[in-house]
């Protein structure tokens, strides 16, 4: 690995971090969140030993009870004496631009425990998505030596899918109010869920949602069609199987069927089963070689993130580029160009 030099300040910070000092972690997070000079070298140094922690993501629509469930799950892991990091990604408030206080208040019960470190982050723009810095904060918590890192992301639609870029196991939390299984399918949740949890199981509609989700998962796996006899010369079961083998080659191993669980995060009903299921998924990840595959996929995303960010930084830092930008704005104002012609000039200058 390329040796990097840390500033003396970051050298001291790295020492505190390595000694397991929580204040060192908190400080490292703020350096990374604010992209202070040298933050990449610091990350490079702390991440040298590779990922160790078990990472579990919780995602789902706003108000599904993700924070309550994370708090319940964290309490159970603490009973097993695990040390935990929790990253909660709050939607950026359109009013304050900062993290909403809600999560902190709800997680109050566990936040006094020194065995848990909780960090709430604003998402900075992409609602519910995982900003590059969020993944870096998860990496920091991992490198700090927590046994497990729990990541809560809120979102609707595509942005939820990004949680796979930070977690080994993705728990999708739905509630009877959040809609039906068809909506979950459309939102791409079937693809990312390792475990479905129907929370607020005390509410009406929970059993129906569970049934729908199970049917949808069953359909997706093709098993629902397997027993249907060939019709008009077409065996639907075969068609589905063939599609699956061509579309999903070796990197999507079989052997994990996504369970649908129910919980009540307020009474802890079903939380023990959720913990067992997460453990089973972990064993499967290891045995099927899927953990390795997911870590590789994550590494690729992280490299792309860093390159994207650096390219932007290099571009807008350059005074030549800034001059071309100003000229482009003038050209457009004078009716002499478009954003595309201006961008082309800038990109040509950068490639040179
Ligand atoms: N009845 C019932 N209420 C619940 C349950 N779990 C959570 N709640 C309540 O639902 C509300 C939202 O819970 P949160 O844990 O904040 O939900 P969240 O998904 O983290 O919300 P955001 O982070 O804002 O998207 C709170 O008032 C909880 O007390 C449950 O199992 N049953
Ligand atoms: Mg929450």
């Amino acid at each position: 690995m390329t040796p990097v030099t840390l500033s003396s300040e970051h050298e001291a910070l790295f020492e505190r971090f390595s000694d397991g000092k929580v204040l060192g972690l908190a400080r490292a997070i703020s350096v990374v969140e604010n992209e202070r000079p040298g933050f990449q070298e610091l990350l490079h140094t702390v991440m040298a030993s590779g990922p160790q922690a078990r990472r579990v993501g919780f995602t789902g629509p706003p108000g599904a009870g993700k924070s309550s469930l994370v708090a319940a799950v964290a309490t159970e892991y603490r009973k097993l004496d695990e040390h935990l990091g929790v990253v909660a990604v709050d939607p950026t408030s359109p009013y304050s631009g900062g993290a909403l206080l809600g999560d902190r208040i709800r997680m109050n019960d566990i936040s006094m425990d020194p065995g848990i470190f909780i960090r709430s982050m604003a998402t900075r723009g992409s609602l519910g998505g995982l900003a590059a810095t969020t993944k870096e904060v998860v990496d920091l918590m991992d490198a700090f030596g927590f046994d497990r890192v729990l990541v809560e992301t809120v979102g609707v639609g595509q942005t939820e899918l990004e949680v796979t870029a930070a977690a080994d196991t993705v728990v999708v939390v739905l509630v009877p109010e959040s809609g039906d299984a068809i909506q979950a399918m459309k939102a791409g949740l079937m693809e990312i869920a390792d475990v479905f949890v129907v929370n607020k199981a005390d509410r009406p509609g929970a059993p129906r949602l569970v049934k729908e989700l199970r049917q949808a998962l069953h359909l997706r796996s093709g098993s629902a069609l397997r027993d249907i006899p060939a019709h008009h010369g077409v065996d639907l079961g075969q068609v589905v199987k063939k599609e699956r083998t061509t579309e999903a080659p070796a990197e999507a191993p079989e052997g994990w069927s996504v369970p649908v669980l129910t919980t009540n995060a307020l009474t802890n009903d079903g939380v023990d089963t959720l913990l067992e299921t997460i453990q089973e998924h972990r064993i499967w990840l290891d045995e099927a070689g899927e953990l390795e595959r997911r870590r590789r996929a994550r590494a690729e995303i992280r490299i792309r993130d860093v390159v994207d960010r650096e390219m932007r930084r290099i571009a807008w830092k350059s005074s030549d580029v800034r001059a071309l930008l100003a000229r482009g704005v003038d050209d457009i104002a004078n009716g002499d160009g478009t954003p595309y012609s201006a961008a082309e000039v800038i990109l040509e200058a950068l490639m040179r």
Side-chain angles (χ1 to χ4, degrees):
M1 196 171 283
T2 339
V4 297
T5 33
L6 296 178
S7 64
S8 54
E9 188 196 339
H10 284 179
E11 193 70 60
L13 173 55
F14 177 57
E15 221 162 87
R16 272 179 288 154
F17 184 96
S18 309
D19 283 348
K21 301 273 195 304
V22 168
L23 278 177
L25 171 61
R27 175 87 192 114
I29 289 175
S30 100
V31 167
V32 166
E33 267 193 308
N34 297 306
E35 299 183 15
R36 292 269 158 68
F39 79 97
Q40 313 206 68
E41 288 77 7
L42 181 66
L43 276 163
H44 171 79
T45 308
V46 306
M47 284 174 70
S49 53
Q52 307 285 336
R54 298 170 175 214
R55 299 157 170 236
V56 186
F58 292 78
T59 193
K66 301 177 295 295
S67 297
S68 311
L69 200 56
V70 165
V73 163
T75 307
E76 292 307 307
Y77 283 128
R78 286 297 296 139
K79 287 183 193 158
L80 301 171
D81 216 25
E82 287 195 15
H83 287 92
L84 301 169
V86 177
V87 183
V89 181
D90 294 339
T92 302
S93 158
Y95 304 108
S96 70
L100 302 171
L101 269 174
D103 277 314
R104 258 182 266 239
I105 291 168
R106 280 170 215 136
M107 287 192 182
N108 239 358
D109 297 350
I110 56 169
S111 62
M112 300 308 290
D113 178 345
I116 301 187
F117 185 91
I118 303 173
R119 187 72 177 209
S120 260
M121 302 183 69
T123 53
R124 302 201 177 158
S126 73
L127 188 77
L130 285 191
T133 45
T134 308
K135 295 168 207 162
E136 285 165 334
V137 168
V138 176
D139 286 336
L140 276 176
M141 291 207 180
D142 188 329
F144 188 68
F146 289 122
D147 301 302
R148 199 177 293 270
V149 182
L150 308 177
V151 187
E152 175 192 341
T153 62
V154 62
V156 257
Q158 293 306 310
T159 51
E160 268 166 354
L161 312 189
E162 287 181 54
V163 72
T164 52
D168 306 320
T169 299
V170 175
V171 178
V172 173
V173 184
L174 298 175
V175 280
E177 296 87 342
S178 64
D180 54 18
I182 305 294
Q183 273 171 280
M185 271 178 123
K186 282 193 192 145
L189 294 176
M190 295 287 162
E191 274 63 48
I192 64 156
D194 296 308
V195 178
F196 270 112
V197 167
V198 174
N199 188 43
K200 306 197 186 180
D202 50 311
R203 298 248 173 108
R208 188 182 46 79
L209 180 57
V210 170
K211 199 170 146 219
E212 279 177 7
L213 286 169
R214 288 198 177 130
Q215 276 168 352
L217 287 163
H218 200 57
L219 259 176
R220 193 190 60 144
S221 73
S223 47
L225 300 174
R226 206 163 284 155
D227 302 329
I228 297 176
H231 182 62
H232 297 302
V234 182
D235 181 345
L236 282 176
Q238 282 307 323
V239 172
V240 172
K241 246 185 256 160
K242 220 177 272 158
E243 268 182 11
R244 277 177 64 75
T245 39
T246 45
E247 274 174 19
E251 66 257 30
E254 300 288 319
W256 178 257
S257 46
V258 177
V260 182
L261 312 177
T262 55
T263 54
N264 179 334
L266 304 184
T267 60
N268 266 8
D269 279 347
V271 171
D272 48 352
T273 309
L274 175 56
L275 251 69
E276 280 162 24
T277 307
I278 291 169
Q279 176 61 15
E280 280 163 19
H281 187 251
R282 175 65 188 205
I283 292 168
W284 174 78
L285 283 174
D286 279 332
E287 287 178 353
E290 177 69 4
L291 185 62
E292 175 67 19
R293 196 192 69 79
R294 290 187 183 197
R295 282 182 171 162
R296 289 184 66 96
R298 214 152 65 202
E300 180 179 332
I301 292 172
R302 299 280 286 96
I303 296 169
R304 284 176 186 268
D305 278 353
V306 175
V307 171
D308 285 351
R309 186 170 56 195
E310 277 314 283
M311 290 210 301
R312 268 200 299 268
R313 199 198 305 274
I314 289 165
W316 304 122
K317 204 175 67 182
S318 145
S319 52
D320 288 351
V321 168
R322 286 209 305 271
L324 290 173
L325 174 67
R327 197 184 305 161
V329 172
D330 288 342
D331 287 348
I332 293 170
N334 297 331
D336 273 348
T338 66
Y340 305 94
S341 55
E344 199 183 338
V345 173
I346 290 174
L347 288 171
E348 269 169 15
L350 274 173
M351 299 299 184
R352 242 182 271 126

